[in-house]
Amino acid sequence: MTSDEIKALDEQYVMQTYGRYDVAIEHGEGATLYSPEGKQYIDFTSGIGVSSIGYGNKEWAEAVYAQALKLQHISNLFYSEPYVKLASELTSRAGMAKVFFSNAGGEANEGMIKIARKYSFDKYGKGRSTIISLLQSFHGRTITTLAATGQDEFHNYFFPFTEGFIHVPANDIKALEDTLGAESASEPGGGVCALMIELIQGEGGVLPLDPGYVKAVADICAANDLLLLVDEVQTGVGRTGSLFAYQQYGISPDVVSFAKGIAGGLPMGGIMANEKCSGVFTPGTHATTFGANPVAAAGALEVLRQLDDAALAAILEKGAYACDAIKGWNLPVVQEIRGMGLMIGISLDGAAPKKVAQTCSENGLLILTAGADALRMMPPLTITYDELDKGLAILKTVLEGTYDE
Ligand SMILES: *Cc1c(COP(=O)(O)O)cnc(C)c1O
């Protein structure tokens, strides 16, 4: 099919929920994608952090293929080897006790919210169920994770939303303390059971939390038996140069969620909990049909195998290389460069990110936007320096043009 034929069918048969770019992709190799007509794109998006080890990754494809031939699915009512291998590899590298696998980020966060509420219910009874999350956060598209998301634009149309979420500004310990004080005054024993944070707010604009704030939040949680829930759906699986971002922040969450990059392009998400929280779910209290299906688990095991210590170190180096390159352009349109590893936000002054991203796509570079003012760069973690250079050259030309306009 040609790109135009694909677009026509999409318009006719698909619910138009996405503001799609005018780009159809047919195949990829490394961090380079090709349209049906053979137009080449450098990919700074990785399917929003999903294609973590790039396209046409032969070892990954072979692992997935071999598992698909052997056993493509078995109900979670039975045991299987890929599932437990993945569970032990992931939890030991993450320093967490146990895992529950699901299929996507929103579903993972639902599980995280359920653990927090059940932990509190088991220990304190009803009424201690409020979860505090941060303004500018993004936690998913289900009714409950929309309620957890700290951006007003997501709190529309689908009323009533799930109760029990409060949003406070990020990097403001006093606002958090005041809210906790007010909540415990209004509810005997305190109405709050958990805090939910992204260490780098991805959709909100690639906004890293201050390390001092994160440490203080962890201390407040520990002192009040509030669970610290960390949403690493976007930051996890090597994106920031460590397997999980909390490993660089020097905290250990009670529960952490992951999804996007974990299985290299196959749908998978999940949550890991520490000792304190890993017995909260008991048989019958949480489940999912597909979670860590053998094929997805085989893909995830191969992703973890490829993301060894050398690969993680290379992610930090490539991220620093890209940030230095962009800084070196000295373009007035570039206001700030922020992020960690290969999760980079470039806030713009006097140019609309969406328009810049569109112009980039016309010129052979796919790049994301984040928040109101930023471009977001999240290439496959395996991107080569040659591909980085090519993509950065396109970005520079487009940003120079934008500035000249
Ligand atoms: C993408 C994302 C989600 C939602 O994940 P889905 O797989 O789309 O459900 C949740 N939290 C964060 C931080 C995300 O980036």
Side-chain angles (χ1 to χ4, degrees):
M1 272 193 228
T2 65
S3 293
D4 285 342
E5 285 165 350
I6 294 169
K7 275 180 246 163
L9 287 181
D10 187 286
E11 203 167 303
Q12 189 172 358
Y13 292 110
V14 179
M15 293 188 200
Q16 297 293 298
T17 60
Y18 300 102
R20 294 199 211 273
Y21 290 95
D22 193 15
V23 173
I25 296 299
E26 200 251 355
H27 75 283
E29 198 59 50
T32 307
L33 293 166
Y34 298 88
S35 77
E37 290 75 23
K39 184 176 162 75
Q40 182 180 311
Y41 299 93
I42 299 296
D43 179 32
F44 281 3
T45 72
S46 62
I48 319 195
V50 169
S51 306
S52 47
I53 53 173
Y55 307 95
N57 190 305
K58 293 222 164 41
E59 287 156 308
W60 178 85
E62 272 158 18
V64 167
Y65 176 66
Q67 184 56 51
L69 277 180
K70 211 197 261 181
L71 176 73
Q72 85 280 22
H73 182 79
I74 185 75
S75 162
N76 281 320
L77 295 172
F78 304 100
Y79 296 102
S80 83
E81 183 175 311
Y83 197 109
V84 293
K85 266 193 182 163
L86 177 61
S88 71
E89 176 73 13
L90 185 61
T91 52
S92 58
R93 285 184 61 185
M96 301 296 285
K98 287 188 179 169
V99 64
F100 173 88
F101 290 112
S102 56
N103 306 284
E107 188 194 2
N109 286 336
E110 289 268 345
M112 193 152 75
I113 291 161
K114 283 175 73 176
I115 283 206
R117 288 188 170 169
K118 185 164 186 297
Y119 172 86
S120 191
F121 182 90
D122 290 347
K123 197 160 169 183
Y124 301 97
K126 271 189 181 166
R128 191 179 178 275
S129 55
T130 298
I131 294 170
I132 297 181
S133 63
L134 301 180
L135 291 173
Q136 296 304 116
S137 61
F138 179 80
H139 296 298
R141 294 281 187 169
T142 65
I143 293 282
T144 296
T145 55
L146 281 174
T149 291
Q151 302 183 53
D152 279 343
E153 64 186 276
F154 288 95
H155 303 150
N156 206 351
Y157 316 122
F158 311 114
F159 306 103
F161 289 94
T162 306
E163 290 172 30
F165 290 93
I166 296 181
H167 309 109
V168 299
N171 297 320
D172 184 343
I173 274 295
K174 182 158 186 313
L176 175 61
E177 285 170 342
D178 289 351
T179 302
L180 283 171
E183 282 299 298
S184 62
S186 68
E187 281 274 347
V192 178
C193 66
L195 262 77
M196 183 166 173
I197 59 174
E198 293 160 273
L199 293 168
I200 304 174
Q201 298 184 315
E203 304 301 315
V206 191
L207 307 166
L209 296 188
D210 297 340
Y213 173 77
V214 173
K215 284 242 164 66
V217 165
D219 289 345
I220 288 174
C221 284
N224 297 281
D225 198 18
L226 306 174
L227 296 191
L228 178 56
L229 314 177
V230 179
D231 178 348
E232 292 234 27
V233 167
Q234 191 157 153
T235 52
V237 198
R239 177 55 52 187
T240 66
S242 48
L243 195 59
F244 288 94
Y246 63 78
Q247 295 168 314
Q248 287 179 75
Y249 271 89
I251 55 156
S252 50
D254 291 297
V255 191
V256 58
S257 61
F258 57 91
K260 292 196 163 91
I262 182 68
L266 293 172
M268 182 185 282
I271 48 180
M272 287 183 283
N274 61 10
E275 284 296 343
K276 180 166 102 170
C277 298
S278 55
V280 170
F281 284 155
T282 49
T285 52
H286 198 49
T288 188
T289 297
F290 285 104
N293 145 306
V295 174
L301 271 167
E302 182 56 26
V303 168
L304 291 181
R305 195 189 66 78
Q306 294 191 26
L307 292 182
D308 58 11
D309 287 345
L312 293 174
I315 290 162
L316 284 175
E317 280 164 25
K318 283 183 260 188
Y321 175 85
C323 289
D324 287 348
I326 299 165
K327 269 180 209 137
W329 301 340
N330 277 316
L331 293 176
V333 68
V334 174
Q335 193 171 42
E336 190 190 10
I337 305 159
R338 55 200 181 217
M340 279 163 71
L342 284 172
M343 180 169 178
I344 299 169
I346 307 161
S347 69
L348 302 181
D349 184 12
K354 194 83 195 180
K355 174 129 193 301
V356 172
Q358 220 138 19
T359 311
C360 283
S361 75
E362 286 154 22
N363 289 280
L365 171 68
L366 303 185
I367 191 164
L368 299 161
T369 64
D373 72 339
L375 292 169
R376 176 172 36 154
M377 190 175 149
M378 297 217 300
L381 303 172
T382 49
I383 191 169
T384 64
Y385 280 94
D386 182 49
E387 287 169 321
L388 258 183
D389 284 342
K390 277 189 196 153
L392 288 169
I394 296 168
L395 180 61
K396 178 167 184 268
T397 308
V398 170
L399 285 176
E400 281 169 342
T402 308
Y403 183 66
D404 286 341
E405 265 171 26

